[in-house]
Amino acid sequence: MDNQDLRKAGLKVTLPRLKILEILERAPARHVSAEDVYRTLLESGEDVGLATVYRVLTQFETAGLVKRQNFEGGHSVFELDQGEHHDHLVCVKCGRIDEFVDKTIEERQAKIAANAGFEMTDHSLNIYGICPTCQKKK
Amino acid sequence: MDNQDLRKAGLKVTLPRLKILEILERAPARHVSAEDVYRTLLESGEDVGLATVYRVLTQFETAGLVKRQNFEGGHSVFELDQGEHHDHLVCVKCGRIDEFVDKTIEERQAKIAANAGFEMTDHSLNIYGICPTCQKKK
DNA sequence: ATGTATGCAAAACATTTGCACCTGG
DNA sequence: CCAGGTGCAAATGTTTTGCATACAT
């Protein structure tokens, strides 16, 4: 089935692309960095270059298969794009990432952009904090 | 007056620090990158290293004098911290940055963090789009 | 004087790109 | 076969760091 997605995006079905797609699908955290993907590939004995990981992830993003999130410190994570937009709650201690959607916020954002005369292309809302687990550990 | 702010932060009052503070105060765009500050310094004939610009800006951030915003592409901008929190509207064409505050959004964010059991430490909301000026230029 | 600050050059990251070789359709 | 894909190494852009020197107090 994934082969179809790749072909539709005009991408050849190659081993690296399939493997990376698989890793994204199985990632327990859903949000993984390019480095994470690369490490996982090496662990499974695949001989894929980090450059390819970046190239493939970028192509996937262009194809709409994947979403890229830029967090603080010039560090990005990728997640499978499952259609529904959402924002992120990021734990600054353990890196855990929760997702949420808030219709009210979405609406206000659209209104703010419109008021300012901006044609909104995208938006990112990240709430940083300490997750329940890390609070207990303290 | 600024000398006081520096001293209070435990920083010696040095020429580079004063100059950088001055540039931040006079920046027409309010939001400047380290590179911007560096270039402005060179233009005014000051002999300051880029490393110092980064060091000073980081110290200013720690001291609460300055806010750092991380935008997409591992690129950061700095602005004088004037107390009132605000979010950003960023033009993806010309880089123009507008500020806004929306009480409703702030409240919802706090609620979302609380519901998830997160102790919120910070949050960043950036709306990306095309500003009115760039729309006309099209 | 003495502990900080600074400039410079080198290092550290995260990401991208050039290029010769490989591979899917 | 041949365009597109890949690995590797080198380049990039941004930010940080090591170190010897210079400065504020």
Side-chain angles (χ1 to χ4, degrees), chain B residues 2 7 11 15 17 37 50 66-67 109 115 117 128 136:
Chain B
D2 290 329
R7 269 190 253 276
L11 299 171
L15 205 92
R17 301 220 249 244
V37 173
L50 181 53
V66 151
K67 278 255 178 206
Q109 285 181 154
N115 279 348
Y128 297 97
K136 273 177 230 144

Side-chain angles (χ1 to χ4, degrees), chain A residues 85-105:
Chain A
H85 159 82
H86 56 253
D87 293 306
H88 298 92
L89 256 166
V90 184
C91 177
V92 296
K93 294 279 182 199
C94 67
R96 164 179 161 186
I97 301 171
D98 283 16
E99 304 175 348
F100 69 88
V101 191
D102 187 285
K103 245 186 120 195
T104 311
I105 291 181

Side-chain angles (χ1 to χ4, degrees), chain B residues 18-118:
Chain B
L18 285 176
K19 283 289 171 192
I20 291 174
L21 213 43
E22 189 184 316
I23 287 170
L24 287 169
E25 275 162 357
R26 304 205 178 157
R30 261 186 59 72
H31 299 80
V32 292
S33 68
E35 198 68 40
D36 291 335
V37 173
Y38 180 58
R39 211 174 320 108
T40 309
L41 281 167
L42 292 189
E43 279 161 16
S44 355
E46 298 300 331
D47 186 21
V48 176
L50 181 53
T52 300
V53 173
Y54 276 105
R55 271 188 291 238
V56 169
L57 286 173
T58 304
Q59 290 159 346
F60 283 4
E61 191 193 7
T62 306
L65 297 176
V66 151
K67 278 255 178 206
R68 178 191 213 125
Q69 291 293 324
N70 299 90
F71 290 139
E72 34 193 37
H75 171 76
S76 315
V77 295
F78 300 82
E79 63 177 305
L80 235 39
D81 185 352
Q82 281 162 340
E84 355 68 35
H85 159 82
H86 56 253
D87 293 307
H88 298 93
L89 255 164
V90 184
C91 177
V92 295
K93 294 280 182 199
C94 67
R96 165 179 158 184
I97 300 170
D98 284 14
E99 304 176 347
F100 69 88
V101 190
D102 187 285
K103 246 186 119 195
T104 312
I105 291 181
E106 299 295 324
E107 284 161 6
R108 306 265 338 154
Q109 285 181 154
K111 203 160 296 178
I112 288 161
N115 279 348
F118 272 63

Side-chain angles (χ1 to χ4, degrees), chain A residues 30 67 79-87 99-101:
Chain A
R30 261 187 58 74
K67 277 256 179 203
E79 63 179 303
L80 236 40
D81 185 352
Q82 272 151 357
E84 355 68 35
H85 159 82
H86 56 253
D87 293 306
E99 304 175 348
F100 69 88
V101 191

Side-chain angles (χ1 to χ4, degrees), chain A residues 19-36:
Chain A
K19 283 289 170 191
I20 292 175
L21 212 43
E22 189 184 317
I23 287 170
L24 288 169
E25 275 162 357
R26 303 205 178 157
R30 261 187 58 74
H31 300 78
V32 292
S33 67
E35 198 69 40
D36 290 336

